[in-house]
Amino acid sequence: MSQASAALPIASGRETAREVWRLSRGHRLRLATVGVLGIVSTAVNVIPPVIIGFLVDRVRAGTADLGTVAMVTAAMVGSAALGAAGTAMTIVLATRVYHTILAGLREQLVSRAMTLPQHLVERAGTGDLISRTSDDVTAVADAAPSVIPALTVTAFTIVVSLGGLAALEWPYAVAFAVVLPVYVLVMRWYLRIGPRVYGAERAAMSARAQQILESQRGYATVLGLGLTEQRHRSVLAASWGVAVWTLRARAVGVMLNLRLNFGECLSLATVLVVGFVLIDADVSTVGAATAAMLLVLRLLGPINELVFVVDDLQSALASLSRMIGVVTIPEEAGEPSATVDAGVAVRLNGVAFRYGDGPRLFDNLTLDIPTGQRTAVVGASGAGKTTLAAVIAGIHLPEDGTVAQPGRTTLITQETHVFVGTLRDNLTLGAPTAGDDDVHAALDATGAAGLLDLLPDGLNTIVGTGGHPLTDAQAQQLALTRLLLADPELAILDEATAEAGSTHAGLLDRAADAVLHGRTGLVIAHRLSQAATCDRIVVMEQGRIIESGTHNELVAAGGVYGGLWSAWEAGRSTNNTVIDKQENKEF
């Protein structure tokens, strides 16, 4: 599967407009007020060019006096003050509405991102999602200072100024209208190229974020395998990809500027020629021509600003479409469904699965797990145990077949994450309504109550990055206690007690027993002693289930599990003998 096809969806223009319109609900009265204020303030700003034209005609006719100058000055000062106040109010109100709507969209984006089916995120790459919730949100927010004035005051200025020009002398309006197709052609050219370039730039940013994230997550592996230079080249290549598309975007902006300069020159020349012809024919006056030129000059600035802001707007819209693409992912997207009989918690029926375009890891895999049963999965490395856990948890979707599991299913792996915050916040992530009594009871049940005595502020201790450090065993205790508080119907432990060394193995195993008590459990066992305590053991080999039964049944059968158990017993006996000899020697 290609990266493009695996990426999270991008909303179409129609979908984006529909979602923005929906988000504007409750703010439309203020948006209407913005429109009224914008029209009034820009209409006031048309007064100076007209009054200057009036003054020019009075001066040429010799009828201007001190009173005329005072009247013109007062009108210009008054219109400037009113126009500035109206413009400021329009921008402030528009900005507040804009950021309120953006805040609502941001909240929806984060909320939907946190509930996306994990298989969608895994397939697209977490870098894509991170880029949409960071780079794209920033791009839309940063567009406000330029986009808001252009889409409010500037747009109104263009409309009102054109109306004033037509009311003053319609030939001037016609002359300017003849040049407008130049701007239309410029916009058509830009809209054909700009969105594609900015969309590619955003996609390149997602790819870069993915490379950086993978390097950070796999830091220990990178160092251990000597992959520093390889990862450096991968990040560098992704960064150059962003640089290339950014340079192309800037080049498009420069070419846009050149075309606008040509349109500006053509507009002024056309109006000047028309003014000369009209004055020569004694159809217009110098004052009217002056007012027309001032109105055109007043128009050119907003028109250029509006065209330029389209550059920022395209970048913002590219990001907005990516944000809304996540928000509008259907809740049921990709979620598997199947029917099960009463008393069956998990059912895999004819499941086939592969990673990307690789070979099938599972083919026609069938498995039922009765409600309340604790099932262990064992097998050699690469047998498909972790993949099976991920398929049952819904992280990976089957290529064929169906998977049914309880609505409340929780998966814990060996890679436990401690979030920045208090210990209480970390423990109650899956049970936000749990009180301190519930937290203490869960800690007691998992044997982790002693952890509080080691922390300076008990449940209020800040843990995670920059906080009080936790050992691997303590982090796994935290994860198991968190699961117990979440109280899922199905608990999947994928080597969730595989803390390095054996010092805390017994403590973690007892914690796992407490978590699985009274609920359906699936244990990916890394120690056969864990499997032996389960109600049922499933043995996997090369993606197939080759044995299934209780511990005693499988040992008595003398099959693959029986051989594994014998080897495990022999190894444990040898280790105990070595420990005893060491202790006698020390004694």
Side-chain angles (χ1 to χ4, degrees):
M1 180 179 296
S2 66
Q3 186 65 28
S5 61
L8 294 171
I10 298 175
S12 66
R14 180 174 298 178
E15 290 171 336
T16 300
R18 184 167 56 245
E19 184 64 19
V20 170
W21 176 252
R22 189 189 64 79
L23 288 168
S24 70
R25 189 177 299 128
H27 307 287
R28 292 169 190 166
L29 179 59
R30 284 191 289 175
L31 288 172
T33 304
V34 168
V36 173
L37 276 174
I39 292 174
V40 172
S41 60
T42 53
V44 170
N45 287 330
V46 171
I47 293 176
V50 176
I51 203 71
I52 289 175
F54 169 79
L55 179 61
V56 169
D57 283 340
R58 291 297 179 274
V59 170
R60 282 179 54 82
T63 58
D65 54 14
L66 185 61
T68 304
V69 174
M71 181 192 68
V72 169
T73 302
M76 292 182 64
V77 171
S79 65
L82 290 175
T87 299
M89 292 176 62
T90 301
I91 293 176
V92 168
L93 185 56
T95 301
R96 293 180 66 176
V97 175
Y98 178 92
H99 281 289
T100 301
I101 294 175
L102 178 60
L105 175 60
R106 186 187 297 117
E107 291 176 3
Q108 289 190 29
L109 173 65
V110 174
S111 176
R112 187 65 188 108
M114 296 298 292
T115 58
L116 282 178
Q118 191 165 347
H119 69 88
L120 290 180
V121 180
E122 294 283 344
R123 187 176 62 190
T126 50
D128 188 12
L129 185 58
I130 289 174
S131 177
R132 295 183 190 224
T133 55
S134 56
D135 292 338
D136 290 325
V137 171
T138 301
V140 176
D142 289 348
S146 58
V147 170
I148 291 175
L151 295 184
T152 53
V153 177
T154 302
F156 297 136
T157 299
I158 294 173
V159 173
V160 173
S161 297
L162 280 174
L165 188 61
L168 179 68
E169 294 280 355
W170 67 264
Y172 295 112
V174 172
F176 185 76
V178 170
V179 183
L180 284 179
V182 173
Y183 291 95
V184 174
L185 292 175
V186 170
M187 289 307 303
R188 287 187 60 185
W189 166 82
Y190 176 75
L191 292 175
R192 188 175 66 252
I193 298 176
R196 178 177 58 84
V197 172
Y198 281 111
E201 184 185 23
R202 293 287 174 259
M205 287 180 176
S206 293
R208 179 182 62 184
Q210 181 67 26
Q211 291 296 333
I212 294 173
L213 187 64
E214 289 180 353
S215 298
Q216 291 175 336
R217 282 184 170 178
Y219 179 71
T221 303
V222 170
L223 292 183
L225 297 179
L227 301 176
T228 304
E229 185 61 29
Q230 178 184 339
R231 293 307 308 168
H232 173 73
R233 288 195 299 269
S234 297
V235 173
L236 186 62
S239 298
W240 270 114
V242 175
V244 167
W245 282 108
T246 300
L247 288 174
R248 291 183 181 179
R250 300 296 80 79
V252 170
V254 171
M255 295 171 68
L256 176 62
N257 188 42
L258 292 175
R259 286 165 168 78
L260 289 177
N261 288 340
F262 172 74
E264 183 175 336
C265 179
L266 190 60
S267 300
L268 292 173
T270 302
V271 174
L272 279 173
V273 170
V274 170
F276 176 80
V277 171
L278 292 177
I279 294 173
D280 186 62
D282 202 24
V283 176
S284 182
T285 65
V286 174
T290 302
M293 281 297 299
L294 290 174
L295 284 172
V296 170
L297 285 171
R298 182 176 180 78
L299 269 170
L300 291 177
I303 287 177
N304 287 346
E305 185 179 349
L306 186 61
V307 174
F308 270 122
V309 87
V310 171
D311 186 59
D312 295 328
L313 188 60
Q314 285 300 316
S315 178
L317 285 176
S319 294
L320 186 64
S321 297
R322 285 161 52 83
M323 293 168 62
I324 291 177
V326 174
V327 170
T328 55
I329 293 176
E331 290 291 339
E332 70 279 5
E335 295 176 2
S337 61
T339 57
V340 293
D341 299 330
V344 177
V346 177
R347 168 162 292 172
L348 279 71
N349 185 19
V351 169
F353 176 79
R354 76 178 81 211
Y355 288 103
D357 297 325
R360 279 191 172 183
L361 185 58
F362 298 152
D363 195 358
N364 197 31
L365 183 67
T366 299
L367 174 66
D368 282 357
I369 300 179
T371 302
Q373 184 185 84
R374 187 183 307 184
T375 302
V377 181
V378 301
S381 178
K385 305 186 298 296
T386 293
T387 303
L388 176 65
V391 169
I392 293 177
I395 295 175
H396 298 318
L397 287 185
E399 183 178 286
D400 288 317
T402 57
V403 178
Q405 76 276 82
R408 292 186 292 115
T409 297
T410 301
L411 167 67
I412 294 183
T413 68
Q414 183 178 355
E415 298 177 359
T416 300
H417 183 73
V418 180
F419 293 88
V420 177
T422 65
L423 178 65
R424 179 188 294 103
D425 292 339
N426 269 271
L427 292 172
T428 58
L429 281 174
T433 60
D436 284 359
D437 291 341
D438 299 319
V439 173
H440 284 290
L443 289 169
D444 287 335
T446 58
L451 177 61
L452 295 179
D453 298 330
L454 302 177
L455 300 178
D457 299 314
L459 291 176
N460 294 318
T461 301
I462 301 297
V463 294
T465 304
H468 188 88
L470 298 180
T471 65
D472 291 340
Q474 290 171 340
Q476 289 181 334
Q477 282 182 308
L478 184 153
L480 290 167
T481 306
R482 183 190 292 160
L483 185 148
L484 185 61
L485 284 167
D487 192 25
E489 298 173 75
L490 170 64
I492 304 175
L493 306 184
D494 184 3
E495 300 193 1
T497 61
E499 184 268 335
S502 58
T503 307
H504 304 283
L507 177 63
L508 292 174
D509 282 347
R510 288 191 293 275
D513 287 338
V515 166
L516 295 173
H517 179 72
R519 63 170 50 88
T520 308
L522 180 69
V523 180
I524 308 301
H526 65 288
R527 294 191 302 272
L528 290 187
S529 57
Q530 291 179 308
T533 63
C534 291
D535 303 317
R536 178 188 176 197
I537 299 171
V538 171
V539 183
M540 294 192 69
E541 184 177 273
Q542 296 181 349
R544 297 179 296 110
I545 296 176
I546 58 173
E547 293 181 1
S548 177
T550 66
H551 169 74
N552 292 332
E553 290 172 348
L554 295 179
V555 170
V560 173
Y561 180 80
L564 291 173
W565 180 256
S566 297
W568 168 264
E569 287 281 87
R572 187 167 59 173
S573 176
T574 301
N575 290 336
N576 290 337
T577 301
V578 171
I579 292 173
D580 290 340
K581 287 182 178 180
Q582 183 66 27
E583 289 177 347
N584 291 332
K585 182 179 179 180
E586 292 175 353
F587 179 76

